[in-house]
Amino acid sequence: MLMRSFVRGSVCVYLLGVLAAGWLAEGVIPAPQRVSECVTDVVPRDVEGAYVLRLRRSGDGEPVWSVQARNEAGRFYAEQTRLQLLREYGDDLPEVLEVEDFPRLPWRGLHLDVSRHWFTVAEVKALMDRMAALKLNRLHLHLTDGPGWRMEVKAFPRLTSVGAWRQNVTVPEWDWRRMVVGRGDGVLYGGFFTQQDLRELVAYGRERHIVIVPEVDFPGHSYAAMLAYPELLAYEGFNFDKSCAVGGDALDIDNPKTLAFACAVFDEVLQVFPEGTPVHVGGDEVQVFSREKQRVWMQRLVDYLRSRGREVIAWDETAMNGVRGQTVMVWHADQLGSLERYEQPVILTPTSHCYFDFRQSESESEPLAMGRQVIRLRDVFDFEVPAFDHVVGLQGNLWTEYIRGFDHLLYMAFPRAAALAERAWGSPRRPFEVFVADLQVHPQFVAEPFTREQQRRVAESDRTLQPEEMEVYVRRQREAQRCAE
Ligand code: ACM
């Protein structure tokens, strides 16, 4: 791993130079807007999450910390900074210190695809713990895709009884043709979140100032749903054995029942994800319907959710097709040069810098990953967020075709997520080497190395709950809920 092989000594020499040049190495990630060894009467900016953290000394020299914040999030972020400072300085805290800090972007996100591979409630919570320490505040959960539907929907039980399971595959290579969804011999691969699980995650996130943003990807990437309800959702001519390549697995948007289905699914999503939570409607990679047809259908879905009081987010194809009223999640890197075309708010997650499912180096021991493109830590760190007022967010995406298992997930996410946090927070530019040195102090932001060999072993040995075991889990959860009520 880059961090571990970095020669600490050479970093220190470099650091001395930087300090001599006036840089205060405060050791916090993401770096605060201002740190000084004197205390002023500055007040927190009028920005959600802003704070001023001060360290003074009592009469007998004991450290006394104080916080001024705009809101609870600011107080929470001040505490994350304080914990990092304690780790950085140990027993050698300065006499006085003042940190003035505020985020530049309101959306600082990670995305997690739980469809291609499934992660447990405990694992999602563990991911949120790390996000919170980095002041990341949005977890975009990609709950549905072709290879598995992962949210319980009471009105459509086959989405999970059929669509959440597939033939277990014991090789790490991702090959859509091997993803036999809905059936399989012997051991199956799969699982889903009950609505109770999701409520628990929402509450866990709230305590850490993380909003979980659910995505139900419509109308494309819907093989699992089409398989569960072919009579309702599959278009004429759809071939379940052959039509699943990217772009072909779209719901039948010519059928009026399909929009009613999507709205009914979102009705349940809105019951689980509380008021004020944005919802993501997908909208990417559909090739079997014209752009105009997609525009009309998606506009109806967006309007429906807006009429229910929700902010709606969608992948950038929707805006390119002419849909309005949604926040645009830009993933096509070639869009970065023409963001001024968008009237809507924009969240950036370009394939060039933010696809954390891509490899981190050319090394042959790197786990197999999507494509051959490499996104290094430095690439993420060097990303320049374009200076448009309507850019409201930056997000790293963890697509999980090749990521099966939590250690692998952490390896792909960290430390790149730490670099993303700096850019999303709007930290002042600092030398990459200083950032790397800071990472050494905070090992929770750097995952253990994970190799291709480990990836192979996980694929061979991993076993998820089986459908019968999942049924028992769901029954127990319902009973516990009834007792609690
Ligand atoms: C995407 O990568 N299809 C959003």
Side-chain angles (χ1 to χ4, degrees):
M1 189 70 214
L2 174 64
M3 258 18 63
R4 290 173 200 288
S5 61
F6 214 89
V7 185
R8 176 102 206 194
S10 67
V11 171
C12 290
V13 171
Y14 186 89
L15 254 179
L16 283 176
V18 172
L19 282 168
W23 180 267
L24 182 62
E26 72 286 342
V28 176
I29 301 170
Q33 306 299 342
R34 184 178 66 81
V35 181
S36 62
E37 290 196 9
C38 65
V39 166
T40 69
D41 57 2
V42 66
V43 293
R45 279 283 172 111
D46 191 11
V47 172
E48 171 94 4
Y51 66 90
V52 178
L53 171 68
R54 294 190 178 90
L55 168 66
R56 292 193 182 86
R57 296 287 158 166
S58 67
D60 50 8
E62 287 302 304
V64 179
W65 295 91
S66 62
V67 173
Q68 274 180 291
R70 282 279 159 203
N71 60 4
E72 275 309 310
R75 228 174 295 287
F76 182 81
Y77 296 144
E79 179 60 8
Q80 304 315 307
T81 297
R82 193 180 75 86
L83 292 173
Q84 289 193 36
L85 287 168
L86 287 174
R87 192 183 259 283
E88 167 79 7
Y89 285 103
D91 291 335
D92 292 327
L93 279 170
E95 283 298 301
V96 282
L97 195 66
E98 182 175 86
V99 178
E100 183 195 359
D101 206 8
F102 54 91
R104 292 256 168 76
L105 294 178
W107 180 296
R108 306 178 296 280
L110 275 189
H111 147 290
L112 176 62
D113 166 9
V114 292
S115 171
R116 273 54 174 265
H117 282 112
W118 165 243
F119 295 87
T120 64
V121 167
E123 288 165 341
V124 177
K125 285 181 178 174
L127 181 67
M128 281 197 277
D129 288 343
R130 290 167 173 81
M131 289 175 64
L134 286 167
K135 306 183 179 91
L136 296 172
N137 67 350
R138 297 285 185 276
L139 176 61
H140 166 180
L141 267 192
H142 184 73
L143 285 166
T144 68
D145 210 297
W149 183 285
R150 308 272 178 232
M151 174 180 164
E152 175 189 30
V153 179
K154 292 183 176 157
F156 298 98
R158 284 174 60 84
L159 289 172
T160 45
S161 66
V162 174
W165 306 98
R166 63 178 190 245
Q167 171 85 44
N168 192 31
V169 177
T170 57
V171 291
E173 284 95 353
W174 182 260
D175 177 353
W176 169 252
R177 285 160 301 187
R178 286 194 230 237
M179 296 302 137
V180 182
V181 180
R183 64 203 142 94
D185 304 326
V187 175
L188 295 179
Y189 180 89
F192 59 90
F193 291 123
T194 64
Q195 295 192 0
Q196 188 57 23
D197 288 335
L198 290 168
R199 287 197 174 93
E200 188 179 323
L201 287 173
V202 167
Y204 194 84
R206 190 184 299 122
E207 285 165 13
R208 287 155 185 76
H209 296 274
I210 295 171
V211 176
I212 300 188
V213 178
E215 179 187 357
V216 183
D217 197 348
F218 285 128
H221 290 274
S222 292
Y223 181 82
M226 293 160 92
L227 191 74
Y229 292 99
E231 68 287 0
L232 181 64
L233 301 174
Y235 55 87
E236 207 179 309
F238 181 79
N239 179 328
F240 277 95
D241 293 325
K242 297 206 180 108
S243 305
C244 312
V246 169
D249 54 347
L251 304 183
D252 181 8
I253 59 177
D254 283 334
N255 181 350
K257 288 185 180 159
T258 302
L259 186 63
F261 166 81
C263 293
V265 167
F266 269 112
D267 285 346
E268 294 198 27
V269 170
L270 299 200
Q271 285 169 24
V272 174
F273 293 87
E275 233 171 89
T277 309
V279 289
H280 196 308
V281 293
D284 57 325
E285 297 188 295
V286 175
Q287 284 161 14
V288 285
F289 294 101
S290 72
R291 293 175 62 166
E292 176 56 12
K293 269 194 184 169
Q294 289 182 56
R295 183 191 69 75
V296 171
W297 195 87
M298 281 310 266
Q299 189 68 63
R300 287 190 184 138
L301 185 57
V302 167
D303 290 348
Y304 175 72
L305 288 162
R306 279 165 54 94
S307 76
R308 305 276 320 263
R310 296 302 176 114
E311 178 191 348
V312 182
I313 307 189
W315 297 109
D316 55 20
E317 286 95 329
T318 52
M320 290 187 240
N321 290 345
V323 178
R324 293 290 174 264
Q326 79 286 33
T327 294
V328 184
M329 193 166 265
V330 169
W331 68 282
H332 288 93
D334 61 5
Q335 295 292 303
L336 288 177
S338 52
L339 293 176
E340 67 280 1
R341 67 194 288 199
Y342 291 117
E343 295 151 14
Q344 303 101 313
V346 162
I347 298 161
L348 300 176
T349 179
T351 49
S352 52
H353 296 80
C354 295
Y355 269 47
F356 295 169
D357 54 325
F358 292 174
R359 309 159 58 94
Q360 319 194 46
S361 78
E362 306 279 4
S363 163
E364 282 306 310
S365 68
E366 280 278 324
L368 294 173
M370 194 48 100
R372 294 293 303 171
Q373 189 178 332
V374 175
I375 296 183
R376 294 186 169 77
L377 177 63
R378 176 142 208 170
D379 297 325
V380 185
F381 185 83
D382 284 346
F383 183 64
E384 292 287 348
V385 176
F388 288 111
D389 284 348
H390 61 296
V391 172
V392 297
L394 183 67
Q395 175 175 291
N397 288 349
L398 289 158
W399 301 102
T400 57
E401 285 92 337
Y402 285 87
I403 306 175
R404 176 173 181 160
F406 193 59
D407 290 341
H408 187 178
L409 185 80
L410 290 181
Y411 172 73
M412 301 308 277
F414 299 96
R416 290 186 290 192
L420 181 110
E422 289 241 334
R423 298 289 72 83
W425 187 262
S427 302
R429 276 281 168 197
R430 55 179 176 156
F432 179 62
E433 291 76 5
V434 173
F435 168 73
V436 169
D438 281 353
L439 279 175
Q440 307 267 340
V441 184
H442 304 294
Q444 76 272 32
F445 300 146
V446 184
E448 292 295 322
F450 189 87
T451 63
R452 188 170 303 186
E453 176 53 24
Q454 282 168 284
Q455 179 186 34
R456 190 185 60 71
R457 272 188 261 133
V458 169
E460 280 173 1
S461 63
D462 181 39
R463 178 186 178 281
T464 56
L465 282 190
Q466 296 300 289
E468 320 75 69
E469 294 166 321
M470 191 77 199
E471 267 176 40
V472 173
Y473 169 76
V474 172
R475 249 198 327 271
R476 285 212 190 111
Q477 215 187 28
R478 297 240 161 89
E479 277 159 24
Q481 208 179 329
R482 260 198 303 277
C483 289
E485 280 165 9

